[in-house]
Amino acid sequence: MFPVVELNHVAHVYVTDREASLAVNDLQITVSEGEFVSLVGPSGCGKTTILSIIAGLIIPTLGEALIYGNKLEGPSPEVGYMLQQDYLFPWRTIMDNALLGLELTHRITPESVEMTSKLLEEMGLAGKEKFYPPQLSGGMRQRVALVRTLATEPGLLLLDEPFSALDYQTKLQLEDLIVKTLRARDKTAVLVTHDLSEAIAMSDRVILLDANPGTVRRMFEVPDNIRDALPFDARDQAGFQELFHEIWSEMDSTSV
Ligand code: ADP
Ligand code: MG
């Protein structure tokens, strides 16, 4: 499979006026085309730093980060980044928020507007185009943020704890919707989550990180029957609990 993301011996040092700290060290991570990978690990282990490196927002201090075989030197249109907070502009309508990425990259055309409308519809947001973000629920706003991310047609999606501000039911519904949407479009995705069952239910592979500095501790392949199911049903699949416990005990042995 063609590698979409390649981190080769990547390390990053944050420098502040008081100190320099090694946030992540010697990262060796490859993500193949169409793969859905989750990053899990203790708070502060460098998950957001890794996504920012892949997004081209941080140039690593050491090593190299490649996207589709090209060395990253800044943000790439191939990469869509969706954050924990929806970051919708309250003064723009839902449609105008959804079109923001296209607008910023000068790609507003009748076709791209039409495609964005279709995406909103697919996400159950038909009829909400002229609403403003405060008039929508948290789950709806995250769906708008997803549409905005998908509208620019990135091959790779980065999702940083996109469900953490949502109630449990909404989160489970959105997990299924995201997986369905990404599978239908053959997208590659990297998800950061603190919810281990979510990581297993959504992914092809789970990468467990250690902290101080952030490094890869172990990778876990998710068995076919679990990855073929949608996240909600994946949790009932044979082997799910065993994998959960295997990763959990590995995490447990690293934390204090
Ligand atoms: P995670 O997302 O896993 O919680 P982060 O990538 O946010 O971890 O942070 C990794 C480490 O880098 C932490 O020790 C954090 O304090 C530090 N860090 C993150 N961002 C900055 C920054 N902008 N300046 C200095 N240190 C930072
Ligand atoms: Mg983080």
Side-chain angles (χ1 to χ4, degrees):
M1 274 296 214
F2 191 77
V4 173
V5 178
E6 287 169 86
L7 301 183
N8 293 323
H9 302 292
V10 161
H12 190 67
V13 176
Y14 282 109
V15 181
T16 65
D17 51 4
R18 283 191 297 136
E19 56 174 13
S21 66
L22 181 63
V24 292
N25 194 28
D26 202 25
L27 291 173
Q28 199 65 41
I29 295 175
T30 305
V31 182
S32 300
E33 192 147 36
E35 208 184 6
F36 195 121
V37 170
S38 288
L39 302 177
V40 298
S43 177
C45 72
K47 302 182 290 295
T48 297
T49 303
I50 295 171
L51 287 195
S52 300
I53 289 170
I54 300 172
L57 299 171
I58 291 179
I59 304 300
T61 314
L62 282 176
E64 59 173 11
L66 307 174
I67 296 292
Y68 293 100
N70 300 313
K71 193 168 175 176
L72 274 170
E73 268 145 16
S76 149
E78 300 277 14
V79 183
Y81 201 169
M82 183 172 155
L83 305 165
Q84 179 175 355
Q85 303 282 325
D86 55 52
Y87 290 111
L88 300 180
F89 292 119
W91 60 86
R92 292 181 71 128
T93 63
I94 296 311
M95 188 67 192
D96 287 346
N97 267 290
L99 289 172
L100 188 70
L102 288 168
E103 197 179 304
L104 293 173
T105 52
H106 311 289
R107 284 187 281 166
I108 299 266
T109 60
E111 293 75 33
S112 65
V113 172
E114 172 68 23
M115 196 196 74
T116 307
S117 281
K118 284 220 179 84
L119 272 170
L120 284 172
E121 216 178 294
E122 222 177 290
M123 299 288 157
L125 294 161
K128 306 284 186 219
E129 294 83 352
K130 294 197 163 71
F131 283 52
Y132 288 86
Q135 297 172 286
L136 266 51
S137 67
M140 283 180 174
R141 285 201 302 272
Q142 270 309 53
R143 280 182 271 153
V144 178
L146 180 64
V147 171
R148 184 181 54 192
T149 311
L150 288 171
T152 57
E153 298 192 84
L156 170 67
L157 267 98
L158 306 176
L159 308 160
D160 197 352
E161 306 205 18
F163 313 115
S164 58
L166 304 175
D167 62 80
Y168 192 63
Q169 193 193 359
T170 307
K171 170 182 133 94
L172 291 182
Q173 289 167 343
L174 213 51
E175 283 178 14
D176 275 18
L177 186 65
I178 288 192
V179 166
K180 264 191 225 162
T181 309
L182 299 192
R183 276 188 198 162
R185 289 172 174 74
D186 257 329
K187 301 285 186 196
T188 309
V190 181
L191 169 78
V192 163
T193 177
H194 57 259
D195 180 342
L196 182 53
S197 90
E198 177 174 291
I200 299 169
M202 292 185 76
S203 314
D204 300 315
R205 191 151 54 96
V206 177
I207 299 179
L208 174 63
L209 300 161
D210 267 342
N212 301 314
T215 47
V216 174
R217 179 180 177 93
R218 240 183 100 182
M219 302 206 195
F220 299 83
E221 291 286 338
V222 176
D224 286 346
N225 64 314
I226 299 173
R227 63 164 91 159
D228 289 346
L230 283 173
F232 188 86
D233 297 323
R235 291 169 163 91
D236 293 327
Q237 289 291 315
F240 186 94
Q241 287 306 321
E242 288 77 2
L243 182 56
F244 183 96
H245 285 291
E246 191 186 349
I247 304 178
W248 183 258
S249 56
E250 186 83 37
M251 279 171 115
D252 214 29
S253 64
T254 66
S255 51
V256 278

